[in-house]
Amino acid sequence: MNITEAKKQIMGKLELDDVNSGIFYGEWAKIEGRDTMVSYSPIDGSQIAEVTMATEEDYQKVLDRAQESFKIWRDIPAPQRGLLVKEIGNELRKYKTALGKLVSIEVGKTIVEGEGEVQEMIDIADFALGLSRQFYGLTIVSERPHHRMYEQWLPLGSIGVITSFNFPCAVWAWNAMIAAAAGDICVWKPSSKGALIAIATTKIVNRVVEKFGYPPLFFLVVGRGREVGEWMANDPALPLISFTGSIPTGKRIAENVAKRLGRTILELGGNNAAIVTDQTDMTIALRGVAFGALATAGQRCTTTRRLILHQAIYDEFLTKLKNIFEKVKIGNPLEPGVLVGPLIDEKAVENHLNAIQQAIHQGGKLIFGGEKANIPGLENGHYVIPALIEANPDMDIVKEETFAPILYVMKYRTIEEALEIHNNVPQGLSSAIFTNNLRDEEYFLSPSGSDCGIANANTSTAGAEIGGAFGGEKETGGGRESGSDAWKNYMRRQTVTINYGKDLPLSQGVKFDID
Ligand code: NAD
């Protein structure tokens, strides 16, 4: 299917035009008088549509309206807030195919991955509904007679959500659905590379909000990262900034938000490794590694970028993996059977080619792929052939996240050595071991094992479920989103002490007699 045909199927359904407002401040800001940016498809380089960008005045209007909405939303009981989120999930179910296809067109994911992204939004809405009845606090025993103590969790305010291109709507939903159930208002600055997806998503969810008669809860500010992103990071009206993106930008945001003592959730780059031991189910390991390395053309934060193979299976595993790399279908992600679509833009292709040159220069051996891929009829798309490179763990390039399908392969002898190699990078997002050896698996999960936020046994580094807390350590930023108790980030904790006695005993036995 070509882009023109795909666009015809979805643009009307998603209420998108040739030129779209990128600013929602309770209503959609007018198109006139604002600069626009063009959204191009990485599939064939064609223009999809234009989007207006926010001025500083627009941004201020968004923030003012968000504060007004918060005053109402925070007092709606959480289970009722949950019912709205549930309905948003249901509405998204109706748009799964159309929105999924837009994800394919605008950021180049395969059709199944595009729909998977929308499914993730639906899943987190379901999760947030359950959560809306479970914002539990502790009851604490008091040291004073006739006193009662407990903790309660209260809404935090308007929160800023800045998202990356590679999960153009799911990451927003991880934040927004939990935040809405928690009683917060969400101000979203999406990646400019996924602006149409953000507009379509905002239209879908706001129709539900309107139907319920609530004030606007989900605001949108499309614009340049260096402008809108910076306004948000520096704005004390946003007590929390949830940022998903690259490490250098994340560091800048962390600094700016820390200067005003705000909170951050940082979901930054990964450099994820899979260890394959000498006692492993080869079929599972090959599938897991191939999916981890190739899915989304290597543009997942959880992409497998390093493969650490036991010397006893090194040659056999690598030969089989090379076969998979040779056969994998690269091309138009709208076509069934294609597993590797385009990179997001020409800069990403350049980064891919440069990283491979650097790897060779630093002593790596290219054993497959790496070059540009020419797809007939899609000459202006941004396609590359995934690369397999035998590498040394100390090479500088191996320690970097290149957002492209490059897999560095390394050899180990003992499990201790494998973990040394594994942990010897600045990032700490996801990790995997493929093994049937219980001792190796447990070592991998022990305090001496993986130093990542996510550790998987016999499944890929990529493809997390929403039920777990998602995020990573070290330069990945330490943030946690999505499931488990990540909701606590979106609320403020209050410790309450109630005296129901007839005296005023003080803590620690302190006396303060004023008679
Ligand atoms: P990016 O850092 O280029 O952009 C991310 C967002 O930041 C965009 O919305 C961008 O407009 C905005 N931005 C740019 N400059 C800014 C500034 N000065 N202040 C505030 N905001 C600014 O990242 P990307 O290329 O869109 O995404 C890829 C990166 O995201 C990879 O490093 C990937 O690993 C990471 N990522 C991490 C996770 C995770 O959960 N850990 C998930 C997805 C992506």
Side-chain angles (χ1 to χ4, degrees):
M1 184 187 296
N2 64 34
I3 298 278
T4 321
E5 214 176 305
K7 263 177 72 176
K8 221 184 274 169
Q9 289 176 3
I10 61 164
M11 295 290 275
K13 186 150 201 222
L14 296 172
E15 296 184 4
L16 293 173
D17 289 313
D18 290 340
V19 186
N20 303 275
S21 173
I23 307 116
F24 182 79
Y25 41 49
E27 74 244 41
W28 290 93
K30 286 200 174 65
I31 286 167
E32 295 76 37
R34 289 174 178 83
D35 290 346
T36 58
M37 47 150 277
V38 177
S39 174
Y40 296 99
S41 173
I43 297 177
D44 63 357
S46 67
Q47 174 169 335
I48 312 172
E50 284 180 63
V51 175
T52 60
M53 293 188 289
T55 61
E56 203 158 359
E57 209 177 301
D58 291 330
Y59 171 74
Q60 211 39 62
K61 205 159 167 181
V62 165
L63 263 288
D64 292 346
R65 297 265 173 100
Q67 303 306 68
E68 283 169 29
S69 292
F70 179 59
K71 287 182 188 153
I72 298 166
W73 189 237
R74 66 187 174 193
D75 285 331
I76 307 284
Q80 282 184 41
R81 299 194 295 246
L83 292 179
L84 171 93
V85 171
K86 171 188 167 196
E87 204 46 44
I88 288 175
N90 286 340
E91 195 68 8
L92 285 167
R93 281 180 171 90
K94 294 184 203 157
Y95 289 91
K96 183 171 166 181
T97 312
L99 192 55
K101 200 168 270 175
L102 181 63
V103 171
S104 298
I105 296 174
E106 199 176 20
V107 300
K109 291 193 179 194
T110 61
I111 284 286
V112 283
E113 285 178 328
E115 289 187 7
E117 172 122 8
V118 184
Q119 186 58 48
E120 219 168 319
M121 300 169 82
I122 295 166
D123 292 344
I124 197 75
D126 289 351
F127 182 87
L129 165 68
L131 200 56
S132 69
R133 287 184 179 270
Q134 299 177 73
F135 293 124
Y136 300 135
L138 293 173
T139 302
I140 299 143
V141 286
S142 173
E143 65 190 44
R144 287 169 278 180
H146 305 128
H147 277 59
R148 187 164 72 79
M149 288 179 74
Y150 73 99
E151 280 179 352
Q152 60 173 347
W153 292 88
L154 300 165
L156 189 62
S158 299
I159 65 153
V161 179
I162 304 175
T163 52
S164 58
F165 80 83
N166 66 324
F167 279 95
C169 48
V171 163
W172 168 80
W174 290 1
N175 287 279
M177 295 302 103
I178 305 283
D184 298 337
I185 306 299
C186 189
V187 176
W188 183 12
K189 194 220 99 50
S191 165
S192 306
K193 297 165 193 168
L196 291 171
I197 299 162
I199 293 170
T201 303
T202 302
K203 288 192 171 170
I204 294 168
V205 301
N206 279 324
R207 274 201 301 273
V208 182
V209 176
E210 270 170 35
K211 201 173 82 187
F212 273 71
Y214 290 132
L217 308 172
F218 303 104
F219 293 84
L220 181 70
V221 202
V222 172
R224 291 184 191 91
R226 284 212 156 254
E227 288 179 7
V228 180
E230 301 262 333
W231 298 334
M232 290 171 76
N234 290 306
D235 194 340
L238 296 171
L240 168 70
I241 298 287
S242 173
F243 174 79
T244 304
S246 58
I247 292 168
T249 316
K251 283 184 177 168
R252 200 179 156 78
I253 299 225
E255 258 180 53
N256 286 337
V257 180
K259 265 190 223 150
R260 59 172 175 90
L261 301 181
R263 276 193 212 174
T264 46
I265 300 175
L266 297 173
E267 300 285 353
L268 313 180
N271 190 353
N272 320 293
I275 297 170
V276 183
T277 76
D278 52 341
Q279 294 169 46
T280 190
D281 180 323
M282 278 278 184
T283 314
I284 288 185
L286 280 164
R287 281 180 82 96
V289 170
F291 171 73
L294 299 171
T296 323
Q299 300 170 110
R300 289 188 184 210
C301 48
T302 52
T303 291
T304 308
R305 308 202 177 277
R306 298 176 298 135
L307 176 61
I308 305 165
L309 296 176
H310 191 276
Q311 60 177 5
I313 49 108
Y314 187 91
D315 290 336
E316 184 192 353
F317 195 89
L318 202 48
T319 307
K320 288 185 171 156
L321 189 63
K322 186 164 169 252
N323 270 337
I324 297 174
F325 270 55
E326 279 165 358
K327 283 195 201 123
V328 79
K329 203 167 162 198
I330 304 164
N332 182 347
L334 296 168
E335 298 293 342
V338 166
L339 291 182
V340 178
L343 294 187
I344 188 68
D345 54 22
E346 211 42 38
K347 180 86 184 78
V349 174
E350 261 171 48
N351 291 345
H352 173 85
L353 300 174
N354 281 342
I356 291 164
Q357 283 316 309
Q358 282 186 57
I360 294 168
H361 185 69
Q362 290 169 22
K365 184 174 158 204
L366 179 65
I367 52 175
F368 179 77
E371 60 271 38
K372 268 186 162 188
N374 287 317
I375 311 295
L378 302 176
E379 284 75 12
N380 293 324
H382 314 296
Y383 299 87
V384 296
I385 311 216
L388 265 179
I389 298 179
E390 284 186 291
N392 171 329
D394 290 325
M395 284 162 47
D396 287 343
I397 192 73
V398 171
K399 298 183 183 176
E400 280 177 32
E401 179 199 47
T402 303
F403 222 50
I406 302 172
L407 184 60
Y408 300 110
V409 190
M410 291 159 268
K411 197 183 281 184
Y412 80 92
R413 278 161 302 182
T414 64
I415 189 69
E416 291 81 6
E417 188 193 349
L419 265 304
E420 285 281 321
I421 298 171
H422 181 278
N423 293 343
N424 188 27
V425 293
Q427 311 84 352
L429 181 54
S430 185
S431 57
I433 189 166
F434 290 90
T435 189
N436 288 334
N437 180 321
L438 188 65
R439 283 191 177 147
D440 284 352
E441 186 222 51
E442 290 298 318
Y443 185 80
F444 173 75
L445 297 173
S446 76
S448 305
S450 163
D451 61 3
C452 292
I454 295 164
N456 298 335
N458 294 321
T459 189
S460 174
T461 59
E465 295 182 25
I466 58 97
F470 183 88
E473 303 300 332
K474 303 196 287 184
E475 287 199 354
T476 302
R480 291 296 184 277
E481 278 174 0
S482 192
S484 184
D485 66 351
W487 59 268
K488 290 180 176 171
N489 288 313
Y490 304 85
M491 302 194 86
R492 63 186 169 89
R493 184 201 307 241
Q494 191 168 64
T495 303
V496 180
T497 306
I498 298 163
N499 175 7
Y500 59 91
K502 292 180 180 161
D503 297 316
L504 187 70
L506 299 176
S507 53
Q508 294 90 42
V510 170
K511 298 281 176 220
F512 193 78
D513 293 328
I514 50 172
D515 303 328

